[in-house]
Amino acid sequence: MELSHISRVLSRANTWHFDIDRYLDPLVPAPRWNAVPKPVAYFLGYRAERPKPLGNIVIAFWSLIGAFSGVALVASVSQHVPSFEARHVPAVIGSFGAAAVLEFGVIDSPLAQPRNAFFSQMIACLVGVGISKLFALNPSAEKYTSLGGALSCGVTTWLMVLTNTVHPPAGATSLLAVTNSQTAGLGWFLFPVMILGVTLMQTAALLINNINRRFPLYWWTPRSLSRGSRDLEKHRKEAPDVPSRYEDSLGELRQLVVGRDEILIPDGVYLTGTERKILERIQDRI
């Protein structure tokens, strides 16, 4: 009887799903790229047209330049911060090496986007330092350092999955915050160290990745944050079998929609730069 009950619970668990963006997205404003100067918007990842694909030779070249520049920037700046020197902060936390691979080598991955890169490291700091200090309350804490590191990595991974902020380097940060004596010795000061490092790495990524490629693909979510898109998504959830006023009988977007926050374009329709500019001028007047 008990086994049957456990089986039913596990069966129901297969369908459990928590989407934090369902609650956060309505609070996040839609980007207004049309209000940002074109050169600035370009280096923030905005493109009026879909970028052309590049061969892996070009990608490898910019990955080399980017990874070197990103890690070197973090290390050189960190070494010249007085408060870092006073606390003997490492020139660069080891997890930034893994971050450089993501931020410059696989920039199309959701794992490399700014939201993941920043919030994952904040979660890692909170969990890693918290567990490190908790274990330190035990006089025999050194015997359980590895166990604490494993727990820290596990909890950080759990929280990243639930918050849609998975970023593998953060797992390394949470592990180092417990098992590495130099990193663990920073305590809560690990927060400003990681904030500065992530900011510098992201700045380098925005400058270098946008020379020949595009970064980021999105700042918060790949889903549209415009009100029109939210209404469309809400309609699809509430009445999945009934097309909205924007869709055809197959559920495909059937018309181009110009809204105050965003321009919705049907699949398969690609606008030229001139066409995009015309729509943006209309959008400015809404």
Side-chain angles (χ1 to χ4, degrees), residues 31-245:
R32 294 293 306 273
W33 295 119
N34 58 303
V36 179
K38 288 292 194 322
V40 176
Y42 182 88
F43 279 93
L44 292 178
Y46 171 74
R47 296 293 184 275
E49 299 178 356
R50 179 175 295 183
K52 296 179 180 179
L54 299 173
N56 66 345
I57 300 298
V58 175
I59 293 174
F61 171 77
W62 285 115
S63 298
L64 165 64
I65 300 299
F68 169 79
S69 301
V71 174
L73 179 63
V74 173
S76 60
V77 172
S78 297
Q79 288 177 324
H80 292 85
V81 178
S83 59
F84 285 19
E85 293 182 278
R87 292 175 172 81
H88 305 290
V89 174
V92 60
I93 303 296
S95 59
F96 281 119
V101 175
L102 282 176
E103 301 302 333
F104 300 99
V106 284
I107 63 176
D108 292 337
S109 170
L111 308 180
Q113 306 310 308
R115 172 186 176 182
N116 296 57
F118 180 80
F119 288 104
S120 66
Q121 294 288 13
M122 296 305 98
I123 291 172
C125 291
L126 178 64
V127 174
V129 176
I131 289 180
S132 177
K133 289 188 173 296
L134 181 63
F135 271 63
L137 296 176
N138 188 323
S140 305
E142 292 184 359
K143 297 180 181 179
Y144 306 102
T145 299
S146 298
L147 180 62
L151 178 62
S152 177
C153 188
V155 173
T156 298
T157 302
W158 172 63
L159 289 174
M160 287 193 296
V161 171
L162 288 179
T163 56
N164 294 333
T165 57
V166 175
H167 184 67
T173 300
S174 66
L175 183 63
L176 291 170
V178 180
T179 61
N180 183 275
S181 58
Q182 191 175 14
T183 306
L186 297 175
W188 297 114
F189 195 74
L190 182 61
F191 269 98
V193 172
M194 295 307 298
I195 289 173
L196 177 63
V198 170
T199 301
L200 292 172
M201 187 74 75
Q202 288 294 305
T203 300
L206 291 173
L207 293 174
I208 295 172
N209 290 340
N210 283 309
I211 293 175
N212 214 190
R213 297 181 287 172
R214 178 195 176 191
F215 179 84
L217 295 184
Y218 53 86
W219 282 87
W220 179 259
T221 176
R223 294 184 291 193
S224 175
L225 294 172
S226 69
R227 183 173 180 179
S229 295
R230 289 171 181 165
D231 291 342
L232 181 59
E233 185 175 350
K234 180 180 179 181
H235 176 85
R236 285 172 174 170
K237 289 181 179 179
E238 295 178 350
D241 298 326
V242 182
S244 73
R245 55 177 175 158

